[in-house]
Amino acid sequence: MSTKGIRDFRPVLHFTPEKNWNNDPNGLVYENGRYHLFYQHNPEGPVWGPMHWGHAVSADLIHWEHLPIALYPDQLGTIFSGSAVYDAENTSGFGKDGKAPIVAMFTQHGEHEQQSIAWSLDGVNFEKYPGNPVLPNSTLPDFRDPKIFRNPVKNCWGAVVSAGDRVHFYASRDLKHWEKTGEFGPEGNHSQGVWECPDLFSLEHDGKTVWVLLVSMGGNEENHGARIQYFLGDFDGDAFRCDGRFDKPEFLDSGLDNYAGVTYDNTADRIFLGWGLNPVYADKTPTGEFCGLMTLPRRLSLEDTPKGGLRLAGEPLVRDAFGEEVPWNGGELPGQVFLLTVTGEGPCTVELKNSLGQKFRFGVNEQNQAFVDRSEAGFRDFSESFASEWYSKISAPRFYDGPWKLELVFDRSACELFLDHGTRYFSQVVYPDAPYTGMEISGNGTAVLQRLKD
Ligand code: FRU
């Protein structure tokens, strides 16, 4: 529970650090029944600072156990973002007595940004490789966030690393020796910002393999950047090639509180987690002794849509946390954490309201666009950007016509709205000065509510 913020805004279903700061999720790997979540963490305060890897584990991606800090800064620099894999075949040789290691690869941010590795046999204590950095660099000002993946073409490990306005690809047999194989970029750069936190993975669709490249594109208040973009295409074993299907940037999330997200290694499904804030105002958010959260975990898939062709879709993996569906009868909302499903057709605005007249609105507008509007949702003066129209009112065209189903996971201050089989979703935080207790629906929509299971 947060005690120093203006209210208790700490979400229940979304991961938050016990105290102090988090940004990006790092080292997402599943192993022996545990989902590991490492994260960019400053243990000194609720603001960005000298980066460490914080650590938590979960069996269900909802209930997290906090563990000691996994990686500390050293003479090569602080510990920026990166990934981890479960090296089941012990290709690295770090395994011992039949125990396979988790191998993490991360950026050391010192005089230059370089990539290092570390391994763990118990999933808690990490040892840094004495031969670090494994990807040295003395020329590129931005060179970071290595994401390791399995390269099925060459049957080896691959890594994608961001480098300014592009990404670089590498190959390795043992996770220690890496060779550069290609680049992708800067086409599709919507913000002229620095590329960060890339991820490369494949998804099956209609019997075909489609490769997906995620890139977080940095931005600032002027260019309204800082969003996750995705490209669809092919990977030939050396580099990713975009198939040119989109002529404008495709955002993973239509909302603005989802950045630096990547997917889990070693899971059958492709599961995504993102940093649940926008870097432009993250450090000003009014949550007191902690600052930061992760988005809900989402299972990613590809969907053929009637109006938008092939799209990346996300399914929130939290339904099991909620109880039975209860039709809404105009009464009070069930607490500060609930799943609200509104079905209908045509334009519709759903308004969650509190006793102070603050309201969070979402729905489908006259132009068949899905929208969220937090312009009157609560406390917002902590940041001019947050309070601005651009960051408050967001809409995105639907890829479907006709009836819709809006699903809103409301978690104290973190809202995630999903519709159209997850081909549209919006992650937005709100800070109401009093809990939303009422709801109004204008238009053609029927609501059911589910409360958190005990
Ligand atoms: C993205 C990012 C990464 C970097 C980390 C530093 O939010 O800027 O590129 O590794 O945060 O905390």
Side-chain angles (χ1 to χ4, degrees):
M1 138 123 181
S2 165
T3 48
K4 295 199 195 112
I6 52 170
R7 272 189 57 226
D8 184 7
F9 288 126
R10 193 189 279 276
V12 176
L13 300 170
H14 292 71
F15 171 86
T16 52
E18 245 177 331
K19 56 184 178 168
N20 298 324
W21 168 268
N22 87 263
N23 54 300
D24 316 352
N26 296 149
L28 302 183
V29 57
Y30 179 77
E31 140 305 310
N32 297 313
R34 295 189 290 187
Y35 291 93
H36 291 265
L37 165 58
F38 302 89
Y39 54 91
Q40 287 289 277
H41 181 50
N42 173 15
E44 303 293 325
V47 288
W48 193 86
M51 284 293 124
H52 298 55
W53 272 26
H55 189 192
V57 287
S58 172
D60 62 3
L61 292 162
I62 300 294
H63 301 89
W64 294 97
E65 179 193 345
H66 293 282
L67 292 176
I69 287 175
L71 291 171
Y72 285 84
D74 62 26
Q75 72 287 353
L76 286 175
T78 53
I79 314 294
F80 270 22
S81 286
S83 54
V85 290
Y86 183 60
D87 182 15
E89 312 281 323
N90 194 22
T91 59
S92 61
F94 294 139
K96 213 173 152 190
D97 303 333
K99 203 145 180 15
I102 291 177
V103 181
M105 189 176 189
F106 49 90
T107 301
Q108 296 222 254
H109 180 83
E111 198 182 332
H112 298 285
E113 293 187 334
Q114 318 193 80
Q115 321 315 322
S116 291
I117 57 173
W119 78 93
S120 173
L121 294 175
D122 63 4
V124 179
N125 299 291
F126 278 78
E127 192 151 340
K128 291 194 188 118
Y129 177 53
N132 283 339
V134 293
L135 276 182
N137 163 46
S138 58
T139 50
L140 297 167
D142 295 290
F143 181 54
R144 58 181 181 264
D145 310 339
K147 177 73 165 77
I148 308 174
F149 60 92
R150 215 39 226 170
N151 179 335
V153 184
K154 293 188 162 171
N155 191 26
C156 66
W157 298 104
V160 54
V161 186
S162 63
D165 62 358
R166 62 198 64 207
V167 293
H168 292 179
F169 298 98
Y170 297 83
S172 173
R173 304 242 154 247
D174 61 6
L175 295 162
K176 298 171 188 160
H177 302 92
W178 293 89
E179 176 204 339
K180 188 174 169 197
T181 55
E183 295 189 4
F184 174 79
E187 57 264 39
N189 186 354
H190 80 274
S191 68
Q192 312 311 318
V194 177
W195 292 27
E196 303 183 305
C197 299
D199 192 1
L200 184 73
F201 53 87
S202 64
L203 291 172
E204 297 302 309
H205 180 74
D206 257 358
K208 287 207 196 80
T209 301
V210 179
W211 284 82
V212 183
L213 177 69
L214 303 185
V215 186
S216 287
M217 299 219 178
N220 55 42
E221 300 194 23
E222 283 77 58
N223 65 22
H224 295 138
R227 302 185 72 173
I228 304 175
Q229 210 168 311
Y230 74 89
F231 303 89
L232 301 182
D234 194 24
F235 176 67
D236 63 8
D238 289 332
F240 169 85
R241 303 258 169 273
C242 185
D243 61 10
R245 158 189 337 253
F246 302 136
D247 53 5
K248 57 180 178 37
E250 284 310 307
F251 298 120
L252 178 91
D253 194 315
S254 304
L256 294 168
D257 291 312
N258 184 353
Y259 192 69
V262 285
T263 62
Y264 266 91
D265 173 69
N266 197 32
T267 49
D269 289 334
R270 196 40 69 178
I271 301 173
F272 168 96
L273 266 190
W275 173 25
L277 287 175
N278 193 294
V280 167
Y281 48 71
D283 63 348
K284 304 184 184 72
T285 50
T287 50
E289 85 282 357
F290 79 97
C291 186
L293 70 154
M294 296 300 165
T295 64
L296 294 173
R298 292 161 193 179
R299 184 190 302 118
L300 301 184
S301 63
L302 290 167
E303 288 278 327
D304 250 325
T305 65
K307 295 172 77 180
L310 203 59
R311 295 282 153 175
L312 198 52
E315 154 85 4
L317 299 176
V318 284
R319 286 182 217 285
D320 288 352
F322 293 99
E324 54 170 345
E325 294 190 348
V326 179
W328 180 62
N329 58 10
E332 287 219 346
L333 294 173
Q336 294 187 67
V337 185
F338 51 84
L339 171 58
L340 164 64
T341 307
V342 187
T343 44
E345 194 163 0
C348 180
T349 299
V350 183
E351 203 170 87
L352 308 185
K353 307 185 291 188
N354 68 13
S355 55
L356 304 168
Q358 296 171 330
K359 33 194 170 260
F360 173 62
R361 297 192 192 93
F362 63 93
V364 174
N365 68 17
E366 302 279 346
Q367 291 77 41
N368 198 30
Q369 296 171 324
F371 71 91
V372 294
D373 176 353
R374 66 180 174 196
S375 59
E376 296 175 70
F379 182 46
R380 58 184 203 141
D381 296 344
F382 57 86
S383 149
E384 249 179 56
S385 300
F386 185 88
S388 70
E389 172 125 345
W390 196 86
Y391 282 94
S392 305
K393 296 185 178 188
I394 305 163
S395 57
R398 296 178 61 208
F399 300 124
Y400 294 78
D401 284 321
W404 37 255
K405 177 159 105 174
L406 305 170
E407 287 185 290
L408 181 82
V409 180
F410 189 85
D411 190 8
R412 282 216 178 123
S413 58
C415 312
E416 298 194 25
L417 174 68
F418 293 81
L419 72 154
D420 293 335
H421 315 290
T423 55
R424 278 288 178 217
Y425 47 84
F426 300 74
S427 305
Q428 289 289 90
V429 291
V430 290
Y431 302 106
D433 290 304
Y436 298 129
T437 46
M439 176 159 71
E440 209 162 285
I441 300 180
S442 40
N444 173 5
T446 309
V448 295
L449 284 157
Q450 286 166 267
R451 56 174 77 232
L452 262 191
K453 278 185 196 156
D454 294 333

Coordinates of all heavy atoms in Angstrom, one line a residue, residues 156-198:
C156 N 21.0 -21.2 -33.6 CA 21.9 -20.6 -32.6 C 21.2 -19.5 -31.9 O 20.0 -19.4 -32.1 CB 23.2 -20.0 -33.3 SG 22.8 -18.6 -34.4
W157 N 21.8 -18.8 -31.0 CA 21.2 -17.7 -30.3 C 21.3 -16.5 -31.2 O 22.3 -16.3 -32.0 CB 22.0 -17.4 -29.0 CG 21.9 -18.5 -28.0 CD1 22.9 -19.3 -27.7 CD2 20.8 -18.9 -27.2 NE1 22.5 -20.2 -26.7 CE2 21.2 -20.0 -26.4 CE3 19.5 -18.4 -27.1 CZ2 20.4 -20.6 -25.5 CZ3 18.7 -19.0 -26.1 CH2 19.1 -20.1 -25.4
G158 N 20.3 -15.6 -31.1 CA 20.4 -14.3 -31.8 C 20.2 -13.2 -30.7 O 19.7 -13.5 -29.6
A159 N 20.7 -12.0 -31.1 CA 20.4 -10.9 -30.2 C 20.1 -9.7 -31.1 O 20.7 -9.5 -32.1 CB 21.6 -10.6 -29.3
V160 N 19.1 -8.9 -30.6 CA 18.8 -7.7 -31.3 C 19.1 -6.5 -30.3 O 18.7 -6.6 -29.1 CB 17.4 -7.6 -31.8 CG1 16.3 -8.0 -30.8 CG2 17.1 -6.3 -32.5
V161 N 19.9 -5.6 -30.8 CA 20.4 -4.5 -29.9 C 20.1 -3.2 -30.5 O 20.3 -3.0 -31.7 CB 21.9 -4.6 -29.7 CG1 22.4 -3.6 -28.6 CG2 22.3 -6.0 -29.2
S162 N 19.6 -2.2 -29.8 CA 19.3 -0.9 -30.4 C 20.6 -0.1 -30.5 O 21.4 -0.1 -29.6 CB 18.2 -0.2 -29.6 OG 18.6 0.1 -28.3
A163 N 20.7 0.7 -31.6 CA 21.9 1.4 -31.9 C 21.4 2.7 -32.6 O 21.4 2.8 -33.8 CB 22.8 0.6 -32.8
G164 N 21.1 3.7 -31.8 CA 20.7 5.0 -32.3 C 19.3 5.0 -33.0 O 18.3 4.8 -32.3
D165 N 19.3 5.1 -34.3 CA 18.1 5.1 -35.1 C 17.9 3.8 -35.8 O 17.2 3.8 -36.9 CB 18.1 6.3 -36.1 CG 19.2 6.1 -37.1 OD1 20.0 5.2 -37.0 OD2 19.2 7.0 -38.0
R166 N 18.4 2.7 -35.3 CA 18.3 1.4 -35.9 C 18.5 0.3 -34.9 O 18.9 0.6 -33.7 CB 19.2 1.3 -37.1 CG 20.7 1.3 -36.7 CD 21.6 1.6 -37.8 NE 21.3 3.0 -38.3 CZ 21.5 3.3 -39.6 NH1 22.0 2.5 -40.5 NH2 21.2 4.5 -40.0
V167 N 18.4 -1.0 -35.4 CA 18.8 -2.1 -34.5 C 19.9 -2.9 -35.2 O 19.9 -2.9 -36.4 CB 17.6 -3.0 -34.1 CG1 16.6 -2.2 -33.2 CG2 16.9 -3.5 -35.3
H168 N 20.7 -3.5 -34.4 CA 21.7 -4.5 -35.0 C 21.4 -5.9 -34.6 O 20.8 -6.1 -33.5 CB 23.1 -4.1 -34.4 CG 23.7 -2.8 -34.8 ND1 24.9 -2.4 -34.4 CD2 23.2 -1.9 -35.7 CE1 25.1 -1.2 -35.0 NE2 24.1 -0.9 -35.8
F169 N 21.7 -6.8 -35.4 CA 21.5 -8.3 -35.1 C 22.8 -9.0 -34.9 O 23.8 -8.7 -35.6 CB 20.7 -8.9 -36.2 CG 19.3 -8.3 -36.4 CD1 19.1 -7.3 -37.4 CD2 18.3 -8.7 -35.6 CE1 17.9 -6.7 -37.5 CE2 17.0 -8.1 -35.7 CZ 16.8 -7.1 -36.7
Y170 N 22.8 -9.9 -34.0 CA 24.0 -10.7 -33.7 C 23.7 -12.2 -33.6 O 22.5 -12.5 -33.3 CB 24.6 -10.3 -32.4 CG 25.1 -8.8 -32.4 CD1 24.2 -7.8 -32.2 CD2 26.4 -8.5 -32.7 CE1 24.6 -6.5 -32.2 CE2 26.8 -7.2 -32.8 CZ 25.9 -6.2 -32.5 OH 26.3 -4.9 -32.6
A171 N 24.7 -13.0 -33.8 CA 24.5 -14.5 -33.6 C 25.6 -15.0 -32.7 O 26.7 -14.5 -32.7 CB 24.6 -15.1 -35.0
S172 N 25.2 -16.1 -32.0 CA 26.2 -16.7 -31.1 C 25.8 -18.2 -30.8 O 24.6 -18.5 -30.9 CB 26.1 -15.9 -29.7 OG 26.9 -16.6 -28.8
R173 N 26.8 -19.0 -30.6 CA 26.6 -20.4 -30.2 C 26.6 -20.6 -28.7 O 26.0 -21.5 -28.2 CB 27.7 -21.3 -30.8 CG 27.9 -21.2 -32.3 CD 27.6 -22.6 -33.0 NE 27.2 -22.2 -34.4 CZ 25.9 -22.4 -34.8 NH1 25.0 -23.0 -34.1 NH2 25.6 -22.1 -36.1
D174 N 27.3 -19.7 -28.0 CA 27.5 -19.9 -26.6 C 27.1 -18.8 -25.7 O 27.5 -18.8 -24.5 CB 29.0 -20.3 -26.4 CG 29.9 -19.2 -26.8 OD1 29.4 -18.1 -27.2 OD2 31.2 -19.4 -26.7
L175 N 26.5 -17.8 -26.2 CA 26.1 -16.6 -25.5 C 27.2 -15.7 -25.0 O 27.0 -14.7 -24.4 CB 25.2 -17.0 -24.3 CG 23.9 -17.6 -24.6 CD1 23.3 -18.4 -23.4 CD2 22.8 -16.6 -25.1
K176 N 28.5 -16.1 -25.3 CA 29.6 -15.3 -24.9 C 30.3 -14.6 -26.1 O 30.8 -13.5 -25.9 CB 30.7 -16.2 -24.2 CG 30.2 -17.0 -23.0 CD 31.3 -18.0 -22.7 CE 30.9 -18.9 -21.6 NZ 31.7 -20.1 -21.5
H177 N 30.3 -15.3 -27.2 CA 31.0 -14.8 -28.4 C 29.9 -14.4 -29.4 O 29.1 -15.3 -29.8 CB 31.9 -15.8 -29.0 CG 33.0 -16.2 -28.0 ND1 32.8 -17.3 -27.2 CD2 34.2 -15.7 -27.7 CE1 33.9 -17.4 -26.4 NE2 34.7 -16.4 -26.7
W178 N 29.9 -13.2 -29.8 CA 28.8 -12.7 -30.7 C 29.4 -12.1 -32.0 O 30.4 -11.5 -31.9 CB 28.0 -11.6 -30.0 CG 27.2 -12.2 -28.8 CD1 27.6 -12.3 -27.5 CD2 25.9 -12.7 -28.8 NE1 26.7 -12.8 -26.7 CE2 25.6 -13.1 -27.5 CE3 24.9 -12.9 -29.8 CZ2 24.3 -13.6 -27.1 CZ3 23.7 -13.4 -29.5 CH2 23.4 -13.8 -28.1
E179 N 28.6 -12.4 -33.1 CA 29.1 -11.9 -34.3 C 27.9 -11.1 -35.0 O 26.8 -11.6 -35.0 CB 29.4 -13.1 -35.2 CG 29.8 -12.8 -36.6 CD 29.5 -14.1 -37.5 OE1 29.4 -15.2 -36.9 OE2 29.4 -13.9 -38.7
K180 N 28.2 -9.9 -35.5 CA 27.2 -9.1 -36.1 C 26.7 -9.6 -37.4 O 27.6 -10.0 -38.2 CB 27.7 -7.6 -36.3 CG 26.6 -6.7 -36.7 CD 27.0 -5.3 -36.7 CE 25.9 -4.5 -37.4 NZ 26.4 -3.2 -37.8
T181 N 25.4 -9.7 -37.6 CA 24.9 -10.3 -38.9 C 24.1 -9.3 -39.7 O 23.8 -9.6 -40.9 CB 24.0 -11.6 -38.6 OG1 23.0 -11.2 -37.7 CG2 24.9 -12.7 -38.0
G182 N 23.6 -8.2 -39.2 CA 22.8 -7.3 -40.0 C 22.2 -6.2 -39.2 O 22.5 -6.0 -38.0
E183 N 21.4 -5.4 -39.9 CA 20.8 -4.2 -39.3 C 19.4 -4.0 -39.8 O 19.1 -4.5 -40.9 CB 21.6 -2.9 -39.6 CG 23.0 -2.8 -39.1 CD 23.6 -1.4 -39.3 OE1 23.0 -0.5 -39.8 OE2 24.8 -1.3 -38.9
F184 N 18.6 -3.3 -39.1 CA 17.3 -2.8 -39.6 C 17.0 -1.4 -39.1 O 17.2 -1.1 -38.0 CB 16.1 -3.7 -39.1 CG 14.8 -3.2 -39.5 CD1 14.3 -3.4 -40.8 CD2 14.0 -2.5 -38.6 CE1 13.0 -2.9 -41.2 CE2 12.8 -2.0 -38.9 CZ 12.3 -2.2 -40.2
G185 N 16.6 -0.5 -40.0 CA 16.3 0.8 -39.7 C 17.0 1.8 -40.6 O 17.9 1.3 -41.3
P186 N 16.8 3.1 -40.5 CA 15.8 3.7 -39.6 C 14.4 3.9 -40.2 O 13.7 4.7 -39.7 CB 16.5 5.1 -39.5 CG 17.2 5.4 -40.8 CD 17.6 4.0 -41.3
E187 N 14.1 3.2 -41.3 CA 12.7 3.4 -41.8 C 11.7 3.1 -40.8 O 11.8 2.3 -39.9 CB 12.5 2.5 -43.1 CG 12.7 1.0 -42.8 CD 14.0 0.5 -43.2 OE1 15.0 1.2 -43.0 OE2 14.1 -0.6 -43.7
G188 N 10.6 3.9 -40.9 CA 9.5 3.7 -39.9 C 9.7 4.4 -38.6 O 8.8 4.4 -37.8
N189 N 10.7 5.2 -38.5 CA 10.9 5.9 -37.3 C 10.0 7.1 -37.2 O 10.1 8.1 -37.9 CB 12.4 6.4 -37.2 CG 12.7 7.1 -35.9 OD1 11.9 7.2 -35.0 ND2 14.0 7.5 -35.7
H190 N 9.0 7.0 -36.3 CA 7.9 8.0 -36.3 C 8.3 9.2 -35.5 O 7.7 10.3 -35.7 CB 6.6 7.4 -35.7 CG 6.6 7.4 -34.2 ND1 7.2 6.3 -33.5 CD2 6.2 8.3 -33.3 CE1 7.1 6.6 -32.2 NE2 6.5 7.7 -32.1
S191 N 9.3 9.1 -34.7 CA 9.5 10.3 -33.7 C 10.9 10.9 -33.8 O 11.2 11.9 -33.1 CB 9.4 9.7 -32.3 OG 10.4 8.9 -32.0
Q192 N 11.7 10.4 -34.7 CA 13.1 10.8 -34.8 C 13.8 10.7 -33.4 O 14.8 11.3 -33.2 CB 13.3 12.3 -35.2 CG 12.4 12.7 -36.4 CD 12.6 11.7 -37.6 OE1 13.7 11.3 -37.9 NE2 11.5 11.4 -38.3
G193 N 13.2 9.8 -32.6 CA 13.8 9.6 -31.3 C 14.8 8.4 -31.3 O 15.0 7.7 -32.4
V194 N 15.5 8.2 -30.2 CA 16.4 7.0 -30.1 C 15.6 5.7 -30.0 O 14.6 5.7 -29.3 CB 17.3 7.2 -28.9 CG1 18.2 6.0 -28.7 CG2 18.1 8.5 -29.0
W195 N 16.0 4.7 -30.7 CA 15.4 3.4 -30.6 C 15.9 2.7 -29.4 O 17.1 2.8 -29.0 CB 15.7 2.6 -31.8 CG 15.1 3.1 -33.1 CD1 14.8 4.3 -33.5 CD2 14.8 2.3 -34.3 NE1 14.3 4.4 -34.7 CE2 14.3 3.1 -35.3 CE3 14.9 0.9 -34.6 CZ2 13.9 2.7 -36.5 CZ3 14.5 0.5 -35.8 CH2 14.0 1.4 -36.8
E196 N 14.9 2.1 -28.7 CA 15.2 1.4 -27.4 C 14.5 0.1 -27.3 O 13.5 -0.1 -28.0 CB 14.8 2.3 -26.2 CG 15.5 3.7 -26.3 CD 15.2 4.6 -25.0 OE1 14.0 4.8 -24.7 OE2 16.1 5.0 -24.4
C197 N 15.0 -0.7 -26.5 CA 14.3 -2.0 -26.1 C 13.7 -2.7 -27.2 O 12.4 -3.0 -27.2 CB 13.3 -1.7 -25.0 SG 14.0 -0.9 -23.5
P198 N 14.4 -3.2 -28.2 CA 13.9 -4.0 -29.3 C 13.6 -5.4 -28.8 O 14.1 -5.9 -27.8 CB 15.0 -4.0 -30.3 CG 16.2 -3.9 -29.5 CD 15.9 -3.0 -28.3

